[in-house]
Amino acid sequence: MSGNSFGHTLVLTTFGESHGFAVGGILDGFPSLIDIDLDFIKSEMNRRRTGRDFFSSSRIEEDQLEILSGVFEGKSTGAPIAFMVRNTDAIPEHYLQLKDSYRPSHADYTWEKKFGIRDYRGGGRTSARETLARVVGGALAKLILQKQGIAIFGYISQIGNCSLDENNLPNKIYSAISSKIGCPDPIVEARMISLLELAKSDGDTLGGIISCKISGVPIGLGEPVFDRLSADLAKAMVSIPSVKGFEYGAGFISSSMKGSEHNDLFISQDRSITTKTNHSGGIQGGISNGNEIFFRVAFKPVASLMKDQETVDREGNKLVLKGKGRHDVCVVPRATVIVEAMAALVVADHFLRNQRLGRTD
């Protein structure tokens, strides 16, 4: 299979399966002399770790990072950074009932038809366990961006039918949210948690929306045709398991606006040129304009339920799939760091491309 690498100048290749020996990656194109903050990387990994809350899978993985190359005396050497995390709480026998059947809304059927073989142990390569390598790669990318004053901040703006009024948020909310699931409004978050508790008691699942803001991005990241910054962000986000939608700036709402309402008028401010509004979400013509980049990512409900579901086996015979196993009620709380990680990889990649071309300091 192909398609395991992401990026142009900064390239992340991931490997591993949900119940295999390990998951990991190789990050190529990483610049030298970057301080590698292992505590920061671990804190990012912990944000997506299972077994910490009632709404996440009860699988207990300590996620001990092993860096195999590319780092010496606490700094990057410029060589590929290879890393892995061993799987320690894999229980393949939990998935024996899936060996000859197809789970609704999973990749079981399509994978088997494409490759002629399928790892039924938790979905194998299609499992969200793979995203751990993205989080490590994204944490490393964030270390590059931090030196440039670029900050990435994701938060939950919707779970189920409970949504946050983002118009009432402060313009700058780039600080850690002291909350259980990562919603900046404690009142709305309490409602979200109640929905999660109800879904769990019903053996059901929920989806939601993660919003993300990126500050400090210089003007000029992105190319004007196929390698648009917006297009690369879209690909990065939609590559995350369970993602079904992406929009940036005014997004889908812009389709109902008039041009006179949507246009971001240019103004002079503090001896520089900016825009009066930011309906463009910080990207115009595929290129960053210096304003805050803003986008939203929609996640479907988790497909693995604790309810019995009808399905078929390889022969097309009907059967009932029993609702059991260790599954998330909602992936959104653990996915915020994955969204940030993929955004970091995209922005760092474009920054390094510009740097090689002499377009940035």
Side-chain angles (χ1 to χ4, degrees), residues 6 11 26 104 108 278 292 302 311:
F6 181 82
V11 182
I26 298 175
D108 300 344
N278 191 24
E292 178 182 77
V302 177
T311 188

Short mmCIF file of all heavy atoms in Angstrom, two decimals, residues 6 11 26 104 108 278 292 302 311:
data_model
loop_
_atom_site.label_atom_id
_atom_site.label_comp_id
_atom_site.label_asym_id
_atom_site.label_seq_id
_atom_site.Cartn_x
_atom_site.Cartn_y
_atom_site.Cartn_z
N PHE A 6 3.30 12.14 4.39
CA PHE A 6 2.60 13.42 4.27
C PHE A 6 3.61 14.55 4.33
O PHE A 6 4.48 14.57 5.19
CB PHE A 6 1.59 13.56 5.42
CG PHE A 6 0.80 14.84 5.38
CD1 PHE A 6 -0.30 14.96 4.57
CD2 PHE A 6 1.19 15.94 6.15
CE1 PHE A 6 -1.03 16.15 4.51
CE2 PHE A 6 0.48 17.12 6.11
CZ PHE A 6 -0.63 17.22 5.29
N VAL A 11 8.52 15.83 5.82
CA VAL A 11 7.74 14.65 5.44
C VAL A 11 7.62 13.68 6.61
O VAL A 11 8.63 13.21 7.15
CB VAL A 11 8.38 13.92 4.24
CG1 VAL A 11 7.53 12.72 3.83
CG2 VAL A 11 8.55 14.87 3.06
N ILE A 26 8.73 8.27 10.86
CA ILE A 26 10.00 8.89 10.49
C ILE A 26 9.69 10.29 9.99
O ILE A 26 8.87 10.46 9.07
CB ILE A 26 10.74 8.09 9.40
CG1 ILE A 26 11.08 6.69 9.91
CG2 ILE A 26 12.00 8.82 8.96
CD1 ILE A 26 11.70 5.78 8.86
N PRO A 104 -20.39 -2.10 10.54
CA PRO A 104 -21.01 -0.96 9.84
C PRO A 104 -20.16 0.30 9.93
O PRO A 104 -19.62 0.64 10.99
CB PRO A 104 -22.35 -0.79 10.58
CG PRO A 104 -22.63 -2.15 11.15
CD PRO A 104 -21.29 -2.71 11.51
N ASP A 108 -13.56 -2.14 7.09
CA ASP A 108 -13.35 -3.58 6.96
C ASP A 108 -13.58 -4.07 5.53
O ASP A 108 -12.74 -4.77 4.95
CB ASP A 108 -14.30 -4.34 7.90
CG ASP A 108 -14.09 -3.99 9.36
OD1 ASP A 108 -13.04 -3.39 9.69
OD2 ASP A 108 -14.97 -4.31 10.18
N ASN A 278 -12.12 39.15 8.83
CA ASN A 278 -11.30 37.98 8.49
C ASN A 278 -12.18 36.82 8.03
O ASN A 278 -12.02 35.68 8.47
CB ASN A 278 -10.45 37.56 9.69
CG ASN A 278 -9.40 36.52 9.32
OD1 ASN A 278 -8.98 36.42 8.16
ND2 ASN A 278 -8.96 35.73 10.29
N GLU A 292 -4.95 35.90 11.48
CA GLU A 292 -5.16 34.63 12.16
C GLU A 292 -5.83 33.63 11.22
O GLU A 292 -6.81 33.94 10.55
CB GLU A 292 -6.05 34.86 13.39
CG GLU A 292 -6.39 33.62 14.17
CD GLU A 292 -7.30 33.93 15.33
OE1 GLU A 292 -8.51 34.13 15.09
OE2 GLU A 292 -6.81 34.02 16.48
N VAL A 302 -18.70 7.97 16.50
CA VAL A 302 -17.90 6.74 16.48
C VAL A 302 -18.76 5.60 15.94
O VAL A 302 -19.92 5.44 16.35
CB VAL A 302 -17.41 6.41 17.91
CG1 VAL A 302 -16.65 5.10 17.92
CG2 VAL A 302 -16.54 7.54 18.43
N THR A 311 -25.47 -6.79 10.33
CA THR A 311 -24.44 -6.70 9.30
C THR A 311 -24.46 -7.99 8.50
O THR A 311 -25.43 -8.76 8.58
CB THR A 311 -23.05 -6.44 9.93
OG1 THR A 311 -22.11 -6.18 8.88
CG2 THR A 311 -22.57 -7.61 10.76
#
